[in-house]
Amino acid sequence: MFPARYAREMPHRYRLEAHKCKQCGKVFVPRREICDKCGATEFEVIRLSDRVKLVTYTIIHTPASQFKDQSPYALGICEFPEGVRLTAQVVDIDFADLKTGMDLQVEFRRIQTDGHEGILSYGYKFVPVI
Amino acid sequence: MFPARYAREMPHRYRLEAHKCKQCGKVFVPRREICDKCGATEFEVIRLSDRVKLVTYTIIHTPASQFKDQSPYALGICEFPEGVRLTAQVVDIDFADLKTGMDLQVEFRRIQTDGHEGILSYGYKFVPVI
Amino acid sequence: MRDVAVIGVGMPKWGELWDKSLRDVFVEAALLALADTKVDKLDNMLIGCMSGGLFVGQEHIGAIMADYLGQRHLAAGRVESACASGGLAFRCAIAEVASGMSDVVLAGGVEKMTDVSGDGATYALAAAADQEYEVFNGATFPGLYALMARAHMEKYGTTRDQLAHVAVKNHHNGTKNPNAQYPFEVTLDQVKNSVMIADPLRILDCSPITDGAAAVIVCPMEMAKDLTEKPLVKVTGLGQATDAIALHSRQDITTIEATTVAAKEAFAMAGKGPKDIDFAEVHDCFTIAEIVVTESLGFFEPGKGGPAVEAGETARGGRIPINLSGGLKSKGHPVGATGIAQIYEIVKQLRGDAGERQIENAKVGLAQNMGGSGASTLVHILEVA
Amino acid sequence: MRDVAVIGVGMPKWGELWDKSLRDVFVEAALLALADTKVDKLDNMLIGCMSGGLFVGQEHIGAIMADYLGQRHLAAGRVESACASGGLAFRCAIAEVASGMSDVVLAGGVEKMTDVSGDGATYALAAAADQEYEVFNGATFPGLYALMARAHMEKYGTTRDQLAHVAVKNHHNGTKNPNAQYPFEVTLDQVKNSVMIADPLRILDCSPITDGAAAVIVCPMEMAKDLTEKPLVKVTGLGQATDAIALHSRQDITTIEATTVAAKEAFAMAGKGPKDIDFAEVHDCFTIAEIVVTESLGFFEPGKGGPAVEAGETARGGRIPINLSGGLKSKGHPVGATGIAQIYEIVKQLRGDAGERQIENAKVGLAQNMGGSGASTLVHILEVA
Ligand SMILES: [Zn+2]
Ligand SMILES: [Zn+2]
């Protein structure tokens, strides 16, 4: 992955920065130029809560090449209290303990070792609440 | 390069096989399902002559990655007596001796070491007539 | 707009076509479509292809295909809406004809998926999802549909068996399709015991990796009689819509809103509703997709798609036969070609020319083609003219 | 067909936009185009993009852009004809409107080329040529145009200086374009002494690698007055053609037949000839390309394109100003966006709104956008309504 491309998403992936529409309050990750709810174009940067709810999940048995060393792994969609949802791995949990609606928290983790150039990439994963 | 893809073109690249329209005689490399001159769909396989004429050429100084070890190299379009033209490297010749209209011959050579998987690829190049 | 007729269709056998290149695969289909008409010179050509770049390193698909089709100077372009690229090609071809900009237009679709490794194909297909916020975090295509499947199962009680019934039905239909990649029966047990891909989806819940192409030819209705001897088929409804690219950004992940919106548009234009459709080809890239889509199209209430397939309502002879061609499941899924192959099947049925697959009273057919995890959909309604 | 008007145009600054992703780059341009009109809801969107797959691993460009443009459910697709993808998007948008299938349609173009290495960009661009019979043997894009250049020079006596004059002229024009990537002057000597890329073409004969987007909005002429306060611009001529994908398979490599055929079609439709064109934006991906194309369009006899640029006939104030925007050379060449940026410039000139670049009596403009080494061309003629 080319450095500029990775760096652009760092605020979202590293610090869970989100953009909140100044007019209607809808929250977006990643940032947008225009709100799809009200059409406004002004946003404030907020930090998302790190407590989320699991909306749905799966266990991936045949991943892309850069995730093969982690297979099988759980992947889930979680909802933040701010209304935004994101997709990420659910880790540090037995697959049997996964349950729709459960509380999880968001942690900063290593995501992948990029296939071609071997750059380590970091971002968010979902983990059980301690 | 995936083996099936490379293998498909071998008759053209290894043996200079061409397809000649049974109706109008137009010659094609690679093979086609339909003649763009007369619309016929029957072809016979012929072997191209190995003597050609240089139509135009250039010296490539900034090649694709898999050709970097050969740079700079001459690339030319040559016309076969059968009417078909092809693009390939012109080798074993000083750049200063290249001349539009000159006679060249076609030889079977190594073309590239494929970037990703390191497979050696072979095909035709143009060389001076001996 | 000018009324548009489909006057020719062509589709060769699909599969792992190792001896054929991208251009060979397309040209074969296009020549079959031309041979189905009295046309020998096209005015324009639009080709659906999801990723010539990632699958074979070849873009500029319109030009290369016009060249190898032997139609020098033919105006030709390529369109893309991921796995709905074929449906988009059909729409753009209709626009060319309906506007009067062109008379005889070929709409084709092609994908050559086996020239890369399995990992390469996974990477290429993932380009239909949000690369930065889904794929980066480990999402795969089966994975995204698995997320939908679990949500649908938990919300509506859709069962593992109901998912399997989609595969069983479509493979059964596919046994009657000589062009299908996998024209064999599968049993409920085989589906349920096949290799796990993304829980709850197993390998037999997934459409395969396929090389293939299909082509259809459209022209103004008033010219159609002179250009074909086949029964005439008219395009009566068109619909197109998108939704958030990332599944997690959609309002409801147990339905495909892009399909609902596109279908409404197509129904309104045709002056028809779901009950007026005699049969449909829908985008069963995964078994769950067919269940969700039959609901989103309005054929069944939300949550009733699973029970419907289990009860045989979507089987041949059922209330509304779905995927008589075998669907993506059995026929194969060369992504750019799928939307055109749907039109092929509908035209064959409307003409009464579908061979062993033919159903009775096929007067109105619907095609639903979608891209990615449902972020785009094209719906077309075709009728006997 | 319904008459079609261009009612809005948008183009932000082009360059190496490291802080912007593919979606950011496109949305910025699309919002500018919308802001140029009274429209807030589109009916359809067509986006030219050559290779989202090879440049950033992202396909499904229509859906992702509709999403980030905040127009949920908007029907949106992507089209491709290599470096002519933008021109194709414009044509497809016109077909949507002319047919009556849609009223207000955005035609956009985008490419994000700096997210890969130079080698990655070379690989992606080469996908516009014949991958198996040109690229496999060592052809590059500058190499293909260099083959044309040598043939043109030997046949017609076109000189190294004449090639350089194209770069000098276009960079001079670009100094007046605030959106240009390289808005600086270059001298004849600088061009002729710059680094050799593919003999006789040097780095300053080549258009750059660029991130950028552009967007225009079209609607039926009868609705145009209600949707914009700007002077109206009408699309009066359309032409599209292809030729053999491989340069070596063309009948004559010193001309671009696809351009000649497309131009004839556009001229016939507009009821105009080359002499009626007040100014043109043409596809100067390399200096030799502009010389050849001005001949293929009929602005000059074969072989007279070189002397014409040397004599200043294509300069600002010359007989027919070419590339007042700076062309691909100075403005940049984000491949999928280029064709739309040409329309942007023509509309700005026809409106009398081109700022420092404005010429007098701009009533009829022509855009010529080509793909690969000339295997596809789109020509559009626009006029003051
Ligand atoms: Zn808002
Ligand atoms: Zn012939």
Side-chain angles (χ1 to χ4, degrees):
Chain A
M1 184 166 294
F2 211 55
R5 179 170 171 186
Y6 179 61
R8 274 196 299 268
E9 310 301 336
M10 276 185 188
H12 302 304
R13 291 182 185 150
Y14 281 27
R15 300 189 295 273
L16 286 180
E17 279 187 16
H19 284 223
K20 184 174 179 178
C21 175
K22 284 190 177 171
Q23 185 166 294
C24 78
K26 185 167 175 182
V27 177
F28 298 94
V29 175
R31 71 188 173 86
R32 295 180 169 243
E33 303 285 327
I34 183 167
C35 174
D36 68 2
K37 190 173 171 196
C38 76
T41 54
E42 305 260 300
F43 299 86
E44 61 173 319
V45 176
I46 62 167
R47 196 193 187 289
L48 294 176
S49 320
D50 61 1
R51 289 296 180 97
V52 295
K53 272 198 194 307
L54 184 62
V55 175
T56 180
Y57 64 94
T58 179
I59 315 299
I60 306 263
H61 293 261
T62 55
S65 54
Q66 66 272 32
F67 290 98
K68 283 208 171 133
D69 56 338
Q70 304 175 41
S71 172
Y73 56 85
L75 185 84
I77 290 177
C78 284
E79 183 161 321
F80 290 75
E82 294 82 3
V84 69
R85 292 176 175 189
L86 287 173
T87 303
Q89 288 187 42
V90 191
V91 295
D92 300 349
I93 187 169
D94 282 348
F95 296 154
D97 294 335
L98 289 165
K99 213 175 139 53
T100 296
M102 75 191 297
D103 292 313
L104 292 169
Q105 65 184 40
V106 192
E107 284 195 358
F108 181 67
R109 295 289 181 99
R110 177 161 69 90
I111 303 295
Q112 52 175 271
T113 308
D114 192 279
H116 287 298
E117 309 187 23
I119 298 171
L120 297 179
S121 302
Y122 296 85
Y124 45 85
K125 291 187 181 179
F126 304 126
V127 299
V129 178
I130 350 164
Chain B
M1 184 168 294
F2 212 55
R5 178 169 171 187
Y6 179 62
R8 274 197 299 269
E9 310 300 336
M10 277 186 186
H12 302 304
R13 291 182 185 152
Y14 281 29
R15 298 188 297 272
L16 287 180
E17 278 187 16
H19 284 221
K20 183 175 177 177
C21 175
K22 283 189 176 172
Q23 186 168 294
C24 77
K26 186 167 174 182
V27 177
F28 298 94
V29 175
R31 72 189 174 83
R32 293 178 171 246
E33 302 285 327
I34 184 168
C35 173
D36 68 4
K37 188 171 168 195
C38 76
T41 55
E42 305 260 297
F43 298 86
E44 62 173 319
V45 176
I46 61 168
R47 196 191 186 289
L48 294 176
S49 320
D50 60 1
R51 290 296 181 96
V52 295
K53 271 197 194 311
L54 185 62
V55 174
T56 181
Y57 64 93
T58 179
I59 315 298
I60 306 263
H61 292 260
T62 56
S65 55
Q66 67 272 33
F67 289 98
K68 283 207 172 135
D69 57 336
Q70 304 174 42
S71 173
Y73 56 85
L75 185 83
I77 291 178
C78 284
E79 182 161 321
F80 291 75
E82 294 82 3
V84 69
R85 291 176 175 189
L86 287 173
T87 303
Q89 287 186 43
V90 190
V91 296
D92 300 350
I93 188 169
D94 281 349
F95 297 154
D97 295 334
L98 288 165
K99 213 175 139 53
T100 296
M102 75 190 297
D103 293 312
L104 293 169
Q105 65 185 39
V106 192
E107 282 193 0
F108 181 67
R109 295 286 181 99
R110 179 161 68 90
I111 303 296
Q112 52 175 270
T113 309
D114 191 279
H116 286 297
E117 309 186 24
I119 297 171
L120 297 179
S121 302
Y122 296 87
Y124 45 84
K125 290 187 181 179
F126 305 126
V127 300
V129 178
I130 349 163
Chain C
M1 64 183 271
R2 301 203 286 184
D3 283 339
V4 176
V6 185
I7 54 167
V9 297
M11 177 177 161
K13 171 95 175 156
W14 286 1
E16 294 184 6
L17 309 174
W18 287 326
D19 58 330
K20 291 192 173 126
S21 68
L22 178 72
R23 56 191 95 172
D24 298 335
V25 170
F26 175 80
V27 168
E28 195 183 355
L31 289 176
L32 286 173
L34 280 163
D36 198 37
T37 68
K38 298 191 223 165
V39 171
D40 48 32
K41 200 80 187 135
L42 298 166
D43 295 326
N44 203 302
M45 179 161 74
L46 288 142
I47 300 169
C49 180
M50 174 179 160
S51 195
L54 294 174
F55 283 116
V56 295
Q58 183 71 61
E59 310 282 10
H60 216 174
I61 307 290
I64 194 168
M65 296 311 178
D67 181 2
Y68 279 79
L69 189 54
Q71 304 239 346
R72 188 157 288 203
H73 296 152
L74 172 62
R78 172 261 195 123
V79 304
E80 181 266 322
S81 187
C83 320
S85 299
L88 180 59
F90 190 57
R91 180 188 179 94
C92 290
I94 291 166
E96 276 280 338
V97 173
S99 67
M101 285 161 55
S102 297
D103 287 331
V104 183
V105 179
L106 187 145
V110 63
E111 213 79 49
K112 175 72 190 168
M113 301 173 76
T114 68
D115 271 359
V116 288
S117 64
D119 282 351
T122 299
Y123 178 74
L125 291 171
D130 187 325
Q131 189 63 237
E132 307 291 356
Y133 286 86
E134 295 186 315
V135 181
F136 175 83
N137 287 325
T140 60
F141 252 95
L144 292 170
Y145 278 93
L147 293 170
M148 293 174 56
R150 180 174 309 275
H152 201 272
M153 292 164 96
E154 294 193 353
K155 181 168 180 186
Y156 294 118
T158 304
T159 65
R160 176 57 266 196
D161 269 22
Q162 289 166 355
L163 297 180
H165 274 290
V166 173
V168 170
K169 168 180 71 73
N170 290 353
H171 271 280
H172 176 68
N173 287 345
T175 60
K176 301 182 195 305
N177 188 341
N179 299 324
Q181 179 175 16
Y182 294 127
F184 50 69
E185 306 273 359
V186 298
T187 66
L188 219 53
D189 278 347
Q190 280 174 329
V191 179
K192 286 157 58 185
N193 293 313
S194 62
V195 175
M196 188 67 86
I197 300 293
D199 188 35
L201 301 180
R202 295 169 181 271
I203 186 86
L204 289 178
D205 289 294
C206 307
S207 55
I209 296 288
T210 311
D211 300 328
V216 303
I217 296 172
V218 292
C219 77
M221 182 54 75
E222 71 263 23
M223 293 174 61
K225 271 217 170 68
D226 296 332
L227 298 177
T228 186
E229 283 158 1
K230 302 283 168 71
L232 294 184
V233 171
K234 186 176 163 184
V235 182
T236 58
L238 297 111
Q240 181 187 5
T242 62
D243 202 345
I245 184 88
L247 179 62
H248 59 242
S249 298
R250 311 236 181 97
Q251 309 216 312
D252 179 354
I253 62 172
T254 62
T255 184
I256 306 280
E257 276 187 21
T259 293
T260 305
V261 174
K264 266 189 194 147
E265 225 179 275
F267 284 133
M269 181 173 163
K272 295 240 163 8
K275 291 201 169 52
D276 302 314
I277 303 299
D278 297 325
F279 66 103
E281 291 283 307
V282 310
H283 199 92
D284 60 322
C285 48
F286 298 92
T287 50
I288 182 65
E290 180 169 312
I291 288 174
V292 173
V293 155
T294 54
E295 296 169 5
S296 300
L297 286 167
F299 294 145
F300 305 104
E301 294 292 307
K304 302 300 183 198
V309 64
E310 191 165 22
E313 292 187 56
T314 56
R316 194 185 165 67
R319 181 156 74 79
I320 173 155
I322 301 278
N323 285 330
L324 289 161
S325 69
L328 289 56
K329 257 306 291 153
S330 161
K331 192 170 53 183
H333 183 27
V335 283
T338 284
I340 296 293
Q342 293 178 330
I343 305 297
Y344 172 93
E345 179 69 15
I346 287 173
V347 170
K348 284 287 201 183
Q349 292 283 351
L350 294 177
R351 284 179 177 177
D353 186 28
E356 268 197 86
R357 303 192 304 287
Q358 186 66 48
I359 56 164
E360 283 176 30
N361 291 316
K363 304 289 185 210
V364 185
L366 177 147
Q368 179 268 350
N369 183 205
M370 73 186 168
S373 60
S376 66
T377 296
L378 281 292
V379 172
H380 292 98
I381 298 172
L382 285 81
E383 300 183 46
V384 171
Chain D
M1 65 182 273
R2 300 203 285 183
D3 282 340
V4 176
V6 184
I7 54 168
V9 297
M11 176 177 163
K13 170 99 176 152
W14 287 1
E16 294 184 7
L17 309 174
W18 288 324
D19 57 330
K20 292 194 173 124
S21 67
L22 178 71
R23 56 192 93 173
D24 299 334
V25 171
F26 175 79
V27 169
E28 194 183 354
L31 289 177
L32 285 174
L34 280 163
D36 198 37
T37 69
K38 298 191 223 165
V39 171
D40 49 29
K41 201 79 187 135
L42 297 166
D43 296 327
N44 203 302
M45 178 161 75
L46 288 142
I47 301 169
C49 180
M50 174 178 160
S51 195
L54 293 174
F55 283 116
V56 295
Q58 182 71 62
E59 309 281 11
H60 217 173
I61 306 290
I64 195 168
M65 296 312 178
D67 181 2
Y68 280 77
L69 189 54
Q71 303 240 345
R72 189 157 286 201
H73 297 152
L74 173 62
R78 171 262 194 124
V79 304
E80 180 266 323
S81 187
C83 320
S85 298
L88 181 59
F90 190 58
R91 181 188 177 93
C92 290
I94 290 166
E96 275 282 337
V97 173
S99 68
M101 285 162 55
S102 298
D103 287 331
V104 183
V105 180
L106 186 146
V110 63
E111 213 79 49
K112 177 71 191 168
M113 301 174 75
T114 67
D115 271 358
V116 288
S117 63
D119 282 352
T122 299
Y123 179 74
L125 290 171
D130 187 327
Q131 189 63 238
E132 306 291 356
Y133 287 86
E134 294 186 314
V135 181
F136 175 84
N137 287 325
T140 59
F141 253 94
L144 292 170
Y145 278 93
L147 293 170
M148 293 173 57
R150 181 174 307 275
H152 201 271
M153 292 163 96
E154 295 193 352
K155 182 169 178 183
Y156 294 117
T158 303
T159 66
R160 177 56 266 195
D161 269 22
Q162 288 165 356
L163 296 180
H165 274 290
V166 173
V168 171
K169 167 181 71 71
N170 290 354
H171 272 279
H172 176 70
N173 287 344
T175 60
K176 301 182 193 307
N177 189 341
N179 299 323
Q181 179 175 16
Y182 294 127
F184 50 70
E185 306 273 359
V186 299
T187 66
L188 219 53
D189 277 346
Q190 280 173 329
V191 179
K192 285 156 61 185
N193 293 313
S194 62
V195 175
M196 187 67 85
I197 300 292
D199 187 36
L201 300 181
R202 295 169 180 271
I203 187 84
L204 288 178
D205 288 295
C206 308
S207 55
I209 297 288
T210 312
D211 301 328
V216 303
I217 296 173
V218 292
C219 77
M221 182 54 76
E222 71 262 23
M223 293 175 60
K225 272 216 171 68
D226 295 332
L227 298 176
T228 186
E229 282 158 2
K230 303 285 168 70
L232 294 183
V233 171
K234 186 176 163 184
V235 182
T236 59
L238 296 111
Q240 182 188 5
T242 61
D243 202 344
I245 184 90
L247 179 63
H248 59 242
S249 298
R250 310 236 182 97
Q251 308 216 312
D252 179 353
I253 61 173
T254 62
T255 183
I256 306 280
E257 277 187 21
T259 292
T260 306
V261 174
K264 267 190 191 144
E265 228 179 273
F267 284 133
M269 183 175 162
K272 295 242 162 8
K275 291 201 171 51
D276 302 314
I277 303 300
D278 296 325
F279 65 103
E281 290 284 305
V282 312
H283 199 92
D284 59 324
C285 48
F286 299 91
T287 50
I288 181 64
E290 179 170 311
I291 289 174
V292 172
V293 155
T294 53
E295 297 169 4
S296 300
L297 285 167
F299 293 145
F300 305 104
E301 294 293 305
K304 302 298 183 199
V309 65
E310 192 165 20
E313 293 188 57
T314 57
R316 193 186 165 68
R319 181 154 74 76
I320 172 155
I322 301 280
N323 286 328
L324 289 162
S325 69
L328 288 56
K329 257 306 290 156
S330 162
K331 191 171 51 185
H333 184 26
V335 284
T338 284
I340 297 293
Q342 293 179 329
I343 305 299
Y344 171 92
E345 179 69 14
I346 287 173
V347 170
K348 284 287 202 182
Q349 292 282 352
L350 293 178
R351 284 178 176 177
D353 186 28
E356 270 199 86
R357 303 190 304 287
Q358 186 66 49
I359 57 165
E360 284 176 30
N361 290 314
K363 303 288 184 212
V364 185
L366 178 147
Q368 178 269 348
N369 184 205
M370 72 185 168
S373 59
S376 67
T377 297
L378 281 290
V379 172
H380 291 100
I381 297 172
L382 285 80
E383 300 182 45
V384 171

